[in-house]
């Protein structure tokens, strides 16, 4: 039998997860983040507006928490290359998985990127999150023998290029099919990290 504290923590996690899932579902059905209201989110969960505020300060906190969950998945996928010994094969697999996760969460990622352009807190959150990817990439480049100053510049360019390319592909109606985008990203990364064949 679970203690009352454990049961309460599980109920809280379940309720928070329901609000996060409902928000992503509403975004997927065409709602824009800017127009999405706490009332709509709460109604989609079958809870009151008051219940929403038990779990989240505001709509922004909900968006950031939902994004953190997806970012953790993206980080795990990228870590296959950052910490692996697979070299090119690990890099290819990581890029495949990252593009797939962008595809799976396109509307949520579109919402956070768009909000980052007009909401200072969301913008800082997104830049910090991308910064973690840049730092990990810089370390891997240094492990591959790149000088620190060059590794920092390359990591910055490669990570932001990948973020923007994936965003445009899945949220902006990209003109390439996913395999061609993946191949292009892989070629740029491969040449930047390992040099020409």
């Amino acid at each position: 039998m679970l203690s009352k504290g454990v049961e309460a923590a599980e109920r809280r996690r379940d309720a928070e997860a329901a609000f996060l899932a409902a928000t992503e579902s509403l975004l997927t059905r065409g709602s824009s983040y800017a127009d999405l209201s706490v009332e709509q989110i709460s109604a989609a969960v079958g809870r009151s507006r008051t219940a929403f505020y038990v779990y989240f300060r505001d709509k922004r906190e909900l968006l950031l928490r939902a994004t953190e969950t997806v970012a953790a998945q993206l980080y795990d996928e990228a870590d296959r290359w950052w910490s692996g010994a697979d070299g090119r094969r690990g890099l290819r697999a990581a890029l495949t998985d990252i593009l797939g996760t962008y595809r799976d969460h396109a509307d949520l990622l579109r919402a956070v990127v768009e909000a980052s352009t007009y909401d200072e807190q969301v913008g800082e959150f997104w830049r910090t999150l991308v910064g973690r990817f840049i730092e990990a990439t810089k370390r891997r480049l240094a492990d591959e023998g790149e000088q620190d100053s060059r590794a920092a510049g390359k990591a910055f360019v490669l990570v932001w290029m990948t973020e923007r390319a994936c965003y445009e592909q899945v949220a902006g109606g990209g003109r390439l099919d996913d395999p061609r985008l993946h191949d292009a990203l892989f070629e740029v990364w491969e040449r930047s990290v390992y040099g020409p064949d």
Side-chain angles (χ1 to χ4, degrees):
M1 180 180 250
L2 296 174
S3 72
K4 288 184 181 182
V6 172
E7 286 179 6
E10 285 183 359
R11 280 196 305 275
R12 182 174 187 86
R13 270 194 308 275
D14 291 347
E16 290 173 355
F19 279 108
L20 296 172
T23 301
E24 190 161 3
S25 177
L26 288 165
L27 291 168
T28 299
R29 285 186 271 162
S31 298
S32 74
Y33 170 73
D35 294 335
L36 197 58
S37 69
V38 169
E39 289 84 358
Q40 287 173 291
I41 296 166
S42 300
V45 177
R47 303 287 295 265
S48 69
R49 176 186 163 100
T50 304
F52 175 92
Y53 291 108
V54 169
Y55 305 104
F56 304 97
R57 275 191 314 274
D58 52 27
K59 192 173 74 165
R60 178 193 297 130
E61 182 185 9
L62 181 139
L63 177 65
L64 300 185
R65 297 245 308 267
T67 304
E68 284 172 347
T69 301
V70 175
Q73 184 178 345
L74 289 167
Y75 199 89
D76 287 347
E77 291 161 355
D79 193 50
R80 292 173 61 185
W81 178 66
W82 291 329
S83 62
D86 269 353
R88 286 176 167 87
R89 190 171 57 227
L91 176 60
R92 182 179 286 281
L95 289 169
T96 298
D97 291 345
I98 287 167
L99 182 55
T101 298
Y102 260 85
R103 176 70 61 204
D104 292 345
H105 299 281
D107 297 297
L108 174 65
L109 293 168
R110 174 185 46 80
V112 74
V113 170
E114 289 174 8
S116 74
T117 65
Y118 60 79
D119 183 311
E120 188 175 319
Q121 263 187 280
V122 176
E124 182 60 28
F125 164 83
W126 188 245
R127 287 187 296 276
T128 299
L129 192 151
V130 173
R132 289 181 54 220
F133 287 76
I134 293 168
E135 281 303 309
T137 300
K138 181 178 99 172
R139 286 192 300 273
R140 177 61 194 249
L141 291 172
D143 290 347
E144 293 288 342
E146 195 73 59
Q147 294 174 354
D148 276 352
S149 60
R150 289 178 52 85
K154 274 189 179 183
F156 180 88
V157 170
L158 288 168
V159 171
W160 276 113
M161 171 201 69
T162 303
E163 183 273 346
R164 199 52 22 174
C166 289
Y167 172 81
E168 286 299 325
Q169 180 72 4
V170 302
R175 296 181 182 190
L176 300 175
D177 57 31
D178 284 359
R180 283 198 302 156
L181 175 63
H182 174 270
D183 288 347
L185 285 171
F186 177 70
E187 182 178 350
V188 172
W189 274 84
E190 182 184 38
R191 287 176 176 266
S192 294
V193 175
Y194 300 108
D197 290 336

